[in-house]
Amino acid sequence: MHKLSRLAALLVAGAIVSAPALAAEKGKAFATVNGQPISQTVFNAFTAEQQAQGAPDSPELKDAIKEELVRREILAQEAKKKGLDKNPNIQGQIELAKQAVLIRAFLSDYVKAHPISEAQLKAEYELIKTNLGSTEYKSRHVLVEKEEDAKAIIAKLDKGEKFSELAKQSKDPGSKDKGGDLGWSSPAAYVKPFGEALTKLKKGEYTKTPVKSDFGYHVIQLEDSRPATPPPFDQVKPQLQQRASQQQIENLVKELRVKAKVD
């Protein structure tokens, strides 16, 4: 249940993809365009990228890649004729692109050198199951801006008005048109005050006092509860692997950032 930075999420997306080793053929050209060679290494890199995305190795793929690289070289030459490669903004973008490739290569190497064990994934799975609890709840709510509005809704419920009708005034767009229905979920899926209030209700009851959260004031009704049935480990293992890799890279970045000297 860790909150990861956007940086870690983006970096791991590149890091967990296997980066095939490229042939050391930098000096060898596979094609020449207007006297300018395109190296075999560039061709190999582009081919590996396409195959990583599922393209089958075939003569047709090689022909398509050659044509694509030739077109790119023609356009790059035209850009240089216009002096665009001297533009500071363009130079900055080129440096960023080079940096991104190096980062992906470094992180790919790091993840391979520090594999996440099955035991680690199972431990995280058990922790998540514990945090989610053994019971899930089917509930409704009405969310309003002011406490007095929530109290007015509770008073109307006390008089017998239907929860589903009162939910139409909720400021929660995801549930207001469904009578406030939130479906089945664990209390841990909600903000803490909401989840705590939900677990104290009995079937059919609603909160007699407004429940305050960062979103406003809630009136909550419990419709039913049942034992939680989490998905089996093997079903969620890929998500756990992704999450563990993100956390691993987040920790690495934090460690390197602390050590870095920034003037």
Side-chain angles (χ1 to χ4, degrees):
M1 311 303 286
H2 304 290
K3 196 169 184 179
L4 300 171
S5 73
R6 176 174 170 78
L7 175 63
L10 289 174
L11 293 183
V12 75
I16 62 174
V17 175
S18 176
L22 300 177
E25 297 173 315
K26 188 173 181 180
K28 182 179 177 182
F30 89 95
T32 302
V33 181
N34 298 325
Q36 179 65 38
I38 303 175
S39 74
Q40 185 67 42
T41 300
V42 170
F43 178 85
N44 291 346
F46 201 107
T47 302
E49 183 180 285
Q50 298 304 307
Q51 290 177 342
Q53 295 175 14
D57 186 12
S58 66
E60 290 78 15
L61 175 64
K62 289 180 171 60
D63 289 343
I65 290 173
K66 178 177 180 180
E67 179 61 22
E68 174 65 18
L69 290 177
V70 167
R71 292 184 182 208
R72 290 187 180 201
E73 178 59 32
I74 290 169
L75 292 173
Q77 289 179 19
E78 292 301 311
K80 289 178 181 178
K81 287 179 185 178
K82 293 180 66 67
L84 294 177
D85 57 324
K86 308 299 182 185
N87 183 303
N89 288 334
I90 302 300
Q91 289 178 341
Q93 292 177 41
I94 292 171
E95 286 303 311
L96 286 173
K98 288 168 61 178
Q99 188 182 65
V101 172
L102 286 172
I103 290 171
R104 284 197 297 271
F106 168 70
L107 291 177
S108 177
D109 180 73
Y110 182 85
V111 169
K112 287 178 183 177
H114 300 82
I116 296 166
S117 69
E118 186 93 349
Q120 287 175 280
L121 295 179
K122 286 184 176 178
E124 181 67 10
Y125 174 72
E126 293 300 326
L127 178 61
I128 292 172
K129 283 204 304 181
T130 299
N131 290 337
L132 289 176
S134 59
T135 307
E136 58 182 0
Y137 300 82
K138 189 175 190 301
S139 62
R140 296 178 183 268
H141 85 140
V142 183
L143 176 63
V144 291
E145 193 72 41
K146 300 177 181 178
E147 185 177 13
E148 53 264 36
D149 294 337
K151 288 181 177 179
I153 289 169
I154 292 169
K156 291 178 180 179
L157 288 170
D158 290 340
K159 292 178 181 178
E161 293 195 33
K162 290 185 177 182
F163 200 101
S164 57
E165 287 298 316
L166 294 171
K168 291 178 180 178
Q169 60 188 287
S170 177
K171 68 171 190 171
D172 176 11
S175 67
K176 64 181 296 183
D177 295 330
K178 299 186 292 183
D181 186 11
L182 295 171
W184 290 95
S185 195
S186 160
Y190 303 112
V191 291
K192 190 173 181 180
F194 190 108
E196 289 179 346
L198 183 61
T199 59
K200 294 175 182 177
L201 294 172
K202 294 179 181 178
K203 183 176 178 178
E205 288 184 344
Y206 53 86
T207 50
K208 294 296 185 178
T209 57
V211 178
K212 187 179 185 304
S213 76
D214 292 338
F215 300 101
Y217 290 88
H218 307 260
V219 180
I220 308 166
Q221 182 182 51
L222 174 62
E223 291 196 321
D224 205 354
S225 63
R226 66 186 182 189
T229 52
F233 171 75
D234 288 340
Q235 184 177 327
V236 296
K237 184 179 176 180
Q239 291 89 336
L240 292 171
Q241 178 74 50
Q242 174 81 358
R243 209 165 94 132
S245 296
Q246 288 179 336
Q247 186 63 60
Q248 183 184 48
I249 289 174
E250 174 76 358
N251 293 338
L252 171 65
V253 173
K254 285 181 179 178
E255 180 183 338
L256 294 175
R257 182 64 181 87
V258 169
K259 294 178 181 178
K261 182 181 178 180
V262 181
D263 300 321

